[in-house]
Amino acid sequence: MKITVIGCGRWGSFIAWHLDKVGHNVTLYGRSTSENMKKIMQFRKSGCLSIPETVALSTDISCAQDADVIAISVSSQSLRDVCRLLSQIGIKDKTIVLCMKGLEIGTCCRLSQIAEEETDPSNKVAVWLGPGHVEEFSMGIQNCMVIDSASDDVKKMLVREFSNSTIRFYYGTDLIGSEIGAASKNVIGIAAGMLDGLGRTSLKGALMSRGTREIARLIKAAGGNELSAYGLCHLGDYQATVFSEYSHNRKYGECLVSGEKYEMLAEGKFTVKALIEMAEKLDVELPICRAVYNVIYEDASPAHELSSLFERSLKYEF
């Protein structure tokens, strides 16, 4: 199978590495102006990964025209532009796999909705979600992930073609819940980092429990299955996001509290804005997400926001 991976960051590079290892004909695309791509082209290195010679490298997006599957791993807010580029070069009858997590600010669109809106209707869209870090996968540490799509045939094909002994894929059954859950877990990751920075790590158990409850309410209000919040896309991804030293979102939250600069991409920073917009449209309370939003965008004190959560009215747990 011919696969083009669009996006040469940490995760995109891993996807190319993994799919090559599985046995596919893989091309990794990155912009010619990308510093990551320049390093990959020169040294065939991307962070902890060595990119095999069997992976073709390209800075011309038309390389996607010959692919059977196009896997996209870019920042969520730039997905619409990437899809428009694919549309401009006439991409049709492909399977597009979105390998990132987020919601679009301003529209609250899920990423699969963007791909469906901006590319030809003949294309099939799927999402690849769930826990795992490049640093661990590259050492052979196993994990479970999810592939979801509106098409059962696409799900079955991708799970069959992408699986190996390192990643066990499950078939997703709720595209709405899978995408909202995956996007919002990054916001909970920022909250976890804020707790670490405040010296309140012991509150992470409560954060995980209550965070899952509020996201379950949002998924249900959006038309999904609230139980999806308890699956691999959200709760199942918490260890990799709420506790891991490799989590960009957790580290970003910790740096917020300490006043340090954090240069890496933390998708939760953007997702929380879209989540609050979505919650207001659907009239759903998201107290933890709102607290994260207030710290990032309203310059609120993290300690004050934590105290405010404890001062909310008393209520039944379920």
Side-chain angles (χ1 to χ4, degrees), residues 76-77 80 84 102-111 113-115 117-118 270 273-279 281-282:
S76 59
Q77 305 310 309
R80 194 174 290 276
R84 285 173 177 169
L103 299 167
E104 188 176 49
I105 295 170
T107 66
C108 304
C109 279
R110 292 178 285 110
L111 303 186
Q113 291 175 307
I114 294 171
E117 286 176 13
E118 297 294 347
F270 308 102
K273 205 167 188 177
L275 272 180
I276 294 303
E277 292 171 351
M278 179 181 284
K281 286 181 181 178
L282 298 174

Tab-separated table of all heavy atoms in Angstrom, residues 76-77 80 84 102-111 113-115 117-118 270 273-279 281-282:
chain	number	residue	atom	x	y	z
A	76	SER	N	-3.857	21.265	14.678
A	76	SER	CA	-5.291	21.213	14.361
A	76	SER	C	-5.782	22.483	13.671
A	76	SER	O	-6.641	22.423	12.792
A	76	SER	CB	-6.098	20.958	15.630
A	76	SER	OG	-5.864	21.970	16.594
A	77	GLN	N	-5.214	23.635	14.043
A	77	GLN	CA	-5.694	24.891	13.474
A	77	GLN	C	-5.219	25.109	12.041
A	77	GLN	O	-5.710	26.011	11.353
A	77	GLN	CB	-5.263	26.073	14.363
A	77	GLN	CG	-5.699	25.946	15.824
A	77	GLN	CD	-7.162	25.618	15.998
A	77	GLN	OE1	-8.029	26.289	15.431
A	77	GLN	NE2	-7.477	24.588	16.783
A	80	ARG	N	-7.385	22.860	8.020
A	80	ARG	CA	-8.236	23.329	6.923
A	80	ARG	C	-7.380	23.783	5.734
A	80	ARG	O	-7.693	23.486	4.576
A	80	ARG	CB	-9.148	24.459	7.406
A	80	ARG	CG	-10.295	24.759	6.434
A	80	ARG	CD	-11.269	25.789	6.987
A	80	ARG	NE	-12.073	25.318	8.087
A	80	ARG	CZ	-13.200	24.625	7.949
A	80	ARG	NH1	-13.654	24.307	6.745
A	80	ARG	NH2	-13.880	24.241	9.019
A	84	ARG	N	-7.320	22.133	1.969
A	84	ARG	CA	-7.548	22.945	0.767
A	84	ARG	C	-6.438	22.738	-0.256
A	84	ARG	O	-6.683	22.705	-1.464
A	84	ARG	CB	-7.669	24.418	1.159
A	84	ARG	CG	-9.015	24.744	1.816
A	84	ARG	CD	-9.082	26.156	2.356
A	84	ARG	NE	-10.411	26.439	2.909
A	84	ARG	CZ	-10.714	27.505	3.626
A	84	ARG	NH1	-9.783	28.429	3.889
A	84	ARG	NH2	-11.944	27.672	4.086
A	102	GLY	N	-7.826	17.689	18.176
A	102	GLY	CA	-8.146	19.095	18.373
A	102	GLY	C	-9.524	19.437	17.845
A	102	GLY	O	-10.215	18.596	17.253
A	103	LEU	N	-9.915	20.673	18.053
A	103	LEU	CA	-11.146	21.246	17.526
A	103	LEU	C	-10.786	22.599	16.935
A	103	LEU	O	-9.875	23.273	17.424
A	103	LEU	CB	-12.193	21.424	18.635
A	103	LEU	CG	-12.675	20.171	19.361
A	103	LEU	CD1	-13.456	20.560	20.609
A	103	LEU	CD2	-13.543	19.316	18.443
A	104	GLU	N	-11.508	23.029	15.917
A	104	GLU	CA	-11.181	24.285	15.257
A	104	GLU	C	-11.787	25.465	16.013
A	104	GLU	O	-12.993	25.498	16.283
A	104	GLU	CB	-11.682	24.274	13.817
A	104	GLU	CG	-11.214	25.487	13.006
A	104	GLU	CD	-11.644	25.410	11.559
A	104	GLU	OE1	-12.829	25.137	11.299
A	104	GLU	OE2	-10.782	25.636	10.692
A	105	ILE	N	-10.946	26.429	16.340
A	105	ILE	CA	-11.418	27.648	16.999
A	105	ILE	C	-12.305	28.430	16.037
A	105	ILE	O	-12.008	28.558	14.855
A	105	ILE	CB	-10.221	28.521	17.441
A	105	ILE	CG1	-9.400	27.797	18.513
A	105	ILE	CG2	-10.689	29.876	17.987
A	105	ILE	CD1	-8.073	28.477	18.829
A	106	GLY	N	-13.405	28.949	16.547
A	106	GLY	CA	-14.304	29.772	15.728
A	106	GLY	C	-15.471	29.006	15.140
A	106	GLY	O	-16.573	29.523	15.055
A	107	THR	N	-15.223	27.748	14.747
A	107	THR	CA	-16.296	26.928	14.173
A	107	THR	C	-16.695	25.787	15.097
A	107	THR	O	-17.789	25.223	14.936
A	107	THR	CB	-15.861	26.307	12.830
A	107	THR	OG1	-14.803	25.360	13.075
A	107	THR	CG2	-15.394	27.367	11.850
A	108	CYS	N	-15.808	25.406	16.023
A	108	CYS	CA	-15.980	24.219	16.895
A	108	CYS	C	-16.030	22.932	16.082
A	108	CYS	O	-16.496	21.894	16.572
A	108	CYS	CB	-17.233	24.320	17.759
A	108	CYS	SG	-17.329	25.789	18.780
A	109	CYS	N	-15.575	22.962	14.837
A	109	CYS	CA	-15.615	21.771	13.994
A	109	CYS	C	-14.647	20.709	14.516
A	109	CYS	O	-13.526	21.004	14.933
A	109	CYS	CB	-15.222	22.107	12.558
A	109	CYS	SG	-16.553	22.818	11.575
A	110	ARG	N	-15.129	19.454	14.450
A	110	ARG	CA	-14.228	18.334	14.655
A	110	ARG	C	-13.348	18.193	13.403
A	110	ARG	O	-13.713	18.656	12.322
A	110	ARG	CB	-15.028	17.052	14.903
A	110	ARG	CG	-15.775	17.063	16.230
A	110	ARG	CD	-16.596	15.808	16.420
A	110	ARG	NE	-17.808	15.817	15.605
A	110	ARG	CZ	-18.032	15.050	14.566
A	110	ARG	NH1	-17.114	14.181	14.162
A	110	ARG	NH2	-19.167	15.130	13.886
A	111	LEU	N	-12.201	17.555	13.565
A	111	LEU	CA	-11.251	17.521	12.455
A	111	LEU	C	-11.774	16.726	11.264
A	111	LEU	O	-11.523	17.081	10.110
A	111	LEU	CB	-9.911	16.960	12.942
A	111	LEU	CG	-9.281	17.734	14.122
A	111	LEU	CD1	-7.888	17.185	14.428
A	111	LEU	CD2	-9.220	19.231	13.835
A	113	GLN	N	-14.804	16.647	10.310
A	113	GLN	CA	-15.743	17.539	9.615
A	113	GLN	C	-15.009	18.474	8.668
A	113	GLN	O	-15.465	18.750	7.556
A	113	GLN	CB	-16.544	18.342	10.635
A	113	GLN	CG	-17.531	17.521	11.449
A	113	GLN	CD	-18.221	18.337	12.524
A	113	GLN	OE1	-17.579	19.001	13.332
A	113	GLN	NE2	-19.548	18.306	12.533
A	114	ILE	N	-13.850	18.963	9.119
A	114	ILE	CA	-13.049	19.860	8.274
A	114	ILE	C	-12.595	19.122	7.016
A	114	ILE	O	-12.703	19.629	5.899
A	114	ILE	CB	-11.833	20.392	9.059
A	114	ILE	CG1	-12.290	21.283	10.212
A	114	ILE	CG2	-10.880	21.154	8.133
A	114	ILE	CD1	-11.181	21.680	11.164
A	115	ALA	N	-12.068	17.908	7.196
A	115	ALA	CA	-11.588	17.132	6.048
A	115	ALA	C	-12.720	16.830	5.068
A	115	ALA	O	-12.533	16.877	3.846
A	115	ALA	CB	-10.937	15.838	6.527
A	117	GLU	N	-15.449	18.642	4.663
A	117	GLU	CA	-15.870	19.896	4.034
A	117	GLU	C	-14.915	20.345	2.935
A	117	GLU	O	-15.338	20.887	1.913
A	117	GLU	CB	-15.945	21.012	5.089
A	117	GLU	CG	-17.134	20.927	6.032
A	117	GLU	CD	-17.078	22.007	7.103
A	117	GLU	OE1	-16.263	22.954	6.969
A	117	GLU	OE2	-17.844	21.912	8.081
A	118	GLU	N	-13.624	20.147	3.157
A	118	GLU	CA	-12.614	20.780	2.306
A	118	GLU	C	-12.016	19.885	1.239
A	118	GLU	O	-11.265	20.360	0.390
A	118	GLU	CB	-11.482	21.338	3.186
A	118	GLU	CG	-11.921	22.432	4.157
A	118	GLU	CD	-12.380	23.715	3.457
A	118	GLU	OE1	-12.138	23.852	2.240
A	118	GLU	OE2	-12.979	24.575	4.139
A	270	PHE	N	-5.029	25.563	22.348
A	270	PHE	CA	-5.984	26.011	21.329
A	270	PHE	C	-7.334	25.304	21.498
A	270	PHE	O	-8.391	25.915	21.353
A	270	PHE	CB	-5.409	25.760	19.933
A	270	PHE	CG	-4.027	26.329	19.757
A	270	PHE	CD1	-2.914	25.509	19.811
A	270	PHE	CD2	-3.839	27.689	19.604
A	270	PHE	CE1	-1.641	26.033	19.688
A	270	PHE	CE2	-2.566	28.221	19.481
A	270	PHE	CZ	-1.457	27.393	19.524
A	273	LYS	N	-10.011	26.779	23.865
A	273	LYS	CA	-10.784	27.905	23.346
A	273	LYS	C	-12.004	27.399	22.578
A	273	LYS	O	-13.126	27.883	22.756
A	273	LYS	CB	-9.893	28.765	22.440
A	273	LYS	CG	-10.323	30.207	22.327
A	273	LYS	CD	-9.219	31.034	21.688
A	273	LYS	CE	-9.576	32.516	21.754
A	273	LYS	NZ	-8.508	33.374	21.215
A	274	ALA	N	-11.781	26.394	21.716
A	274	ALA	CA	-12.884	25.811	20.950
A	274	ALA	C	-13.852	25.055	21.856
A	274	ALA	O	-15.070	25.069	21.630
A	274	ALA	CB	-12.328	24.884	19.874
A	275	LEU	N	-13.326	24.404	22.891
A	275	LEU	CA	-14.185	23.674	23.825
A	275	LEU	C	-15.149	24.612	24.549
A	275	LEU	O	-16.329	24.296	24.710
A	275	LEU	CB	-13.340	22.943	24.866
A	275	LEU	CG	-12.848	21.534	24.562
A	275	LEU	CD1	-12.039	21.015	25.735
A	275	LEU	CD2	-14.003	20.590	24.255
A	276	ILE	N	-14.637	25.752	24.984
A	276	ILE	CA	-15.490	26.710	25.686
A	276	ILE	C	-16.546	27.266	24.730
A	276	ILE	O	-17.715	27.431	25.098
A	276	ILE	CB	-14.645	27.842	26.307
A	276	ILE	CG1	-13.735	27.276	27.410
A	276	ILE	CG2	-15.527	28.940	26.865
A	276	ILE	CD1	-14.455	26.547	28.526
A	277	GLU	N	-16.163	27.520	23.487
A	277	GLU	CA	-17.137	27.966	22.487
A	277	GLU	C	-18.226	26.906	22.288
A	277	GLU	O	-19.424	27.212	22.237
A	277	GLU	CB	-16.431	28.249	21.153
A	277	GLU	CG	-15.505	29.450	21.176
A	277	GLU	CD	-14.655	29.577	19.915
A	277	GLU	OE1	-14.667	28.631	19.083
A	277	GLU	OE2	-13.982	30.603	19.751
A	278	MET	N	-17.814	25.642	22.187
A	278	MET	CA	-18.765	24.553	21.998
A	278	MET	C	-19.679	24.404	23.214
A	278	MET	O	-20.897	24.222	23.078
A	278	MET	CB	-18.010	23.239	21.739
A	278	MET	CG	-18.923	22.042	21.549
A	278	MET	SD	-18.009	20.482	21.285
A	278	MET	CE	-17.492	20.693	19.583
A	279	ALA	N	-19.098	24.488	24.410
A	279	ALA	CA	-19.878	24.339	25.640
A	279	ALA	C	-20.939	25.431	25.760
A	279	ALA	O	-22.062	25.179	26.212
A	279	ALA	CB	-18.954	24.356	26.848
A	281	LYS	N	-22.368	27.029	23.239
A	281	LYS	CA	-23.403	26.754	22.239
A	281	LYS	C	-24.352	25.663	22.715
A	281	LYS	O	-25.556	25.707	22.463
A	281	LYS	CB	-22.766	26.326	20.910
A	281	LYS	CG	-22.121	27.449	20.122
A	281	LYS	CD	-21.546	26.914	18.816
A	281	LYS	CE	-20.863	28.012	18.012
A	281	LYS	NZ	-20.254	27.486	16.760
A	282	LEU	N	-23.803	24.663	23.409
A	282	LEU	CA	-24.595	23.499	23.823
A	282	LEU	C	-25.101	23.615	25.254
A	282	LEU	O	-25.783	22.705	25.739
A	282	LEU	CB	-23.747	22.223	23.668
A	282	LEU	CG	-23.280	21.889	22.249
A	282	LEU	CD1	-22.333	20.699	22.253
A	282	LEU	CD2	-24.471	21.615	21.333
